[in-house]
Amino acid sequence: MSIFQRKLTLNLFSTTKYRSEHTPVVPLWLWCTFLMARFQLVCVKVSWTVLLALAHLTYLLFGAIVFQVLEREAESNNRNHFQLEKLNFLANYTCLDGPALEKFVQVILEAWERGVNPSGNSTNPSNWDFSSSFFFAGTVVTTIGYGNLSPSTVCGQVFCVFYALCGIPLNLAFLKQLGKCLTLHLGRLERGMVSVVPHKQAVEALAVSSFFVTGSLLFLVIPPLLFSYVEGWTFGEGFYFAFITLSTIGFGDYVVGTDPGKEYISLYRSLAGIWIIFALAWLALILSMGMRIMEHVIGLTIPGFRKQEEDEDVSSNKLDDTSKI
């Protein structure tokens, strides 16, 4: 409790004692001031972790409701269409019965789960040539994991586990160093612009904007255009694939270099893997900037947030110093 609040409490009780000897009424303004001070103290002491947890849960509930509204009807229509196609297929080919068709569908699903495209024939390009294997290794260490391809042998699965255990920290260290290099170049850009424009805040905003626009063109605009041209996608589908990939969500509904009806250059998927690495570093830096901006806005809006963040940083540094000892 602050000195002001202690004095206010003593003043309140002393006034109450004085009033009790003469009149039982406590001044209303004193009660209001005391309650407001206590309310501010409680508000400051509220754990921001709890508030963030509630905000996170609310955001998840909001997303669940929106996705359910948008996708549930489409799923029902697709399911009905598939059942209708099966009935038409059985009507056209009377030599087949329902159980035989279901068994064949199960074979197709098992082949798809093992990374084999059921369309085409045995001359389809291999999923484990060097370019595809390099692309798969990149999805492992970056934790994207599209899910359309995975090791099917026991040796491959065991190696994948140990490869990820060593590769994920190595990839994080590389992305961190790459982010430092990008930050260094951004600082050089700001210093070069300050020599021309004396206003530091305007220069910082202009440098960050140019960094964002340039990175967006290199990683979120030009690559989707190339993917759209090579894969036959729309630009929206290409941009969707790029963002889902770089955010490491990796649904696997769109993956480059998997169409058996197209002939790709040998380094196509390898170049896509290199694009993923550098774009991840850029996007991580952008998200870090966005997080700092959000914390700054919250600090300006809610006075107690910045102080609690500083207290948590001090406590964290003390714990780090203790662990080093």
Side-chain angles (χ1 to χ4, degrees):
M1 185 179 292
S2 63
I3 298 175
F4 169 74
Q5 291 169 343
R6 290 177 181 174
K7 291 181 178 180
L8 181 60
T9 306
L10 292 174
N11 189 14
L12 173 64
F13 287 110
S14 61
T15 306
T16 306
K17 182 178 180 181
Y18 174 78
R19 289 289 184 181
S20 63
E21 297 175 354
H22 298 82
T23 176
V25 180
V26 178
L28 182 61
W29 67 269
L30 194 57
W31 272 113
C32 293
T33 306
F34 174 74
L35 292 176
M36 289 179 62
R38 294 292 298 175
F39 178 74
Q40 291 178 356
L41 181 63
V42 171
C43 289
V44 170
K45 288 185 176 180
V46 171
S47 175
W48 293 108
T49 304
V50 176
L51 291 179
L52 286 176
L54 291 175
H56 189 265
L57 179 61
T58 303
Y59 195 73
L60 290 177
L61 293 175
F62 169 74
I65 293 172
V66 173
F67 283 127
Q68 182 181 19
V69 171
L70 295 177
E71 298 295 332
R72 191 168 185 175
E73 184 178 356
E75 179 201 22
S76 178
N77 293 335
N78 291 331
R79 186 175 297 171
N80 294 334
H81 176 73
F82 176 69
Q83 295 297 330
L84 183 61
E85 289 294 328
K86 283 201 303 183
L87 293 176
N88 292 334
F89 184 82
L90 290 173
N92 293 329
Y93 298 92
T94 56
C95 57
L96 290 175
D97 56 0
L101 180 60
E102 293 294 335
K103 185 177 181 180
F104 182 66
V105 170
Q106 187 65 32
V107 171
I108 293 177
L109 291 176
E110 291 178 357
W112 182 262
E113 290 175 357
R114 297 187 179 188
V116 178
N117 195 324
S119 61
N121 49 43
S122 60
T123 61
N124 289 342
S126 172
N127 288 323
W128 295 106
D129 56 7
F130 178 77
S131 179
S132 299
S133 300
F134 183 86
F135 183 77
F136 174 77
T139 61
V140 171
V141 299
T142 55
T143 68
I144 295 175
Y146 287 114
N148 67 315
L149 186 64
S150 60
S152 59
T153 63
V154 175
C155 294
Q157 293 170 353
V158 172
F159 174 76
C160 185
V161 170
F162 288 99
Y163 183 77
L165 285 175
C166 300
I168 292 174
L170 178 63
N171 180 69
L172 292 176
F174 175 72
L175 291 179
K176 182 178 180 180
Q177 186 62 32
L178 197 58
K180 289 181 179 179
C181 294
L182 293 176
T183 305
L184 181 63
H185 288 295
L186 182 61
R188 290 177 180 175
L189 178 62
E190 290 180 359
R191 288 192 295 271
M193 296 175 67
V194 166
S195 60
V196 179
V197 181
H199 301 286
K200 185 177 179 180
Q201 293 182 348
V203 167
E204 290 180 353
L206 185 60
V208 172
S209 300
S210 62
F211 178 77
F212 176 77
V213 172
T214 303
S216 299
L217 289 174
L218 290 177
F219 300 123
L220 288 178
V221 176
I222 296 177
L225 286 173
L226 296 177
F227 295 144
S228 302
Y229 174 75
V230 176
E231 301 290 342
W233 299 338
T234 63
F235 177 76
E237 292 172 333
F239 182 83
Y240 169 80
F241 162 76
F243 184 80
I244 293 299
T245 296
L246 298 183
S247 58
T248 69
I249 298 174
F251 289 126
D253 49 352
Y254 289 90
V255 183
V256 296
T258 57
D259 190 348
K262 296 182 180 295
E263 294 183 1
Y264 303 99
I265 61 175
S266 58
L267 296 177
Y268 175 60
R269 301 190 80 181
S270 298
L271 294 175
I274 295 174
W275 160 74
I276 289 174
I277 296 295
F278 285 92
L280 277 175
W282 170 80
L283 186 61
L285 189 60
I286 292 297
L287 293 178
S288 178
M289 291 180 179
M291 185 176 63
R292 288 199 297 268
I293 293 173
M294 185 179 298
E295 290 178 350
H296 180 70
V297 172
I298 294 176
L300 294 177
T301 308
I302 306 175
F305 179 79
R306 188 178 299 276
K307 185 178 183 302
Q308 182 166 354
E309 288 290 317
E310 293 175 355
D311 294 340
E312 290 178 355
D313 292 339
V314 171
S315 301
S316 179
N317 292 333
K318 288 182 179 179
L319 288 175
D320 292 339
D321 295 338
T322 305
S323 62
K324 289 179 181 179
I325 295 174

